[in-house]
Amino acid sequence: QVQLVESGGGTVQAGGSLRLSCTASGTIFTIRTWSWYRQPPGKERELVARIASSDTVEYSDPVKGRFTISRDNAKNAAYLQMDKLKPDDTTVYYCNADVFRQMHDSDSWIYWGWGTQVTVSS
């Protein structure tokens, strides 16, 4: 099994910054893709940012130019640097990892963290 633990959430004023971290532990050979999602109240969970094993990144339109996703393969960790935060960014942020648990696995497994609350005050 694999566990994902997020940290770094909190409360910040509009225009401020937060850095979210997500660390994976358990049976891991390699993590193909890391993603960050968020779920605004009353809405579906939405992709915020994604980074592939090639370090190719993608961002949702609302966060482009403000958020930066990165990864540390040696630590099985991913990060989301959030700058110029807005009140609309307030919600729970979830980490997601696409994991190969063994070297010869043909299929990967998707894991989710429990989420970390981000609150941006105006």
Side-chain angles (χ1 to χ4, degrees):
Q1 273 291 4
V2 175
Q3 296 79 40
L4 302 185
V5 178
E6 300 106 331
S7 62
T11 300
V12 66
Q13 287 189 334
S17 299
L18 285 173
R19 184 176 188 244
L20 305 184
S21 299
C22 181
T23 302
S25 62
T27 304
I28 300 168
F29 172 65
T30 189
I31 297 175
R32 179 163 58 183
T33 302
W34 287 96
S35 303
W36 287 95
Y37 285 77
R38 65 187 184 185
Q39 187 162 15
K43 296 184 179 181
E44 294 186 355
R45 194 170 293 189
E46 61 185 25
L47 176 68
V48 174
R50 175 173 290 148
I51 183 166
S53 55
S54 61
D55 285 337
T56 300
V57 299
E58 62 178 290
Y59 298 96
S60 64
D61 286 343
V63 308
K64 278 182 183 176
R66 300 187 299 122
F67 290 11
T68 304
I69 190 171
S70 60
R71 60 189 292 163
D72 185 332
N73 296 327
K75 295 181 178 179
N76 285 329
Y79 309 95
L80 186 68
Q81 177 66 39
M82 305 186 295
D83 299 318
K84 301 178 183 178
L85 282 161
K86 304 175 181 179
D88 284 349
D89 296 319
T90 296
T91 188
V92 179
Y93 286 72
Y94 298 90
C95 173
N96 169 294
D98 184 7
V99 180
F100 286 100
R101 298 191 300 191
Q102 305 289 346
M103 180 182 294
H104 300 294
D105 278 352
S106 57
D107 296 322
S108 60
W109 300 77
I110 300 295
Y111 294 94
W112 290 90
W114 287 101
T116 185
Q117 175 71 42
V118 171
T119 302
V120 184
S121 61
S122 57

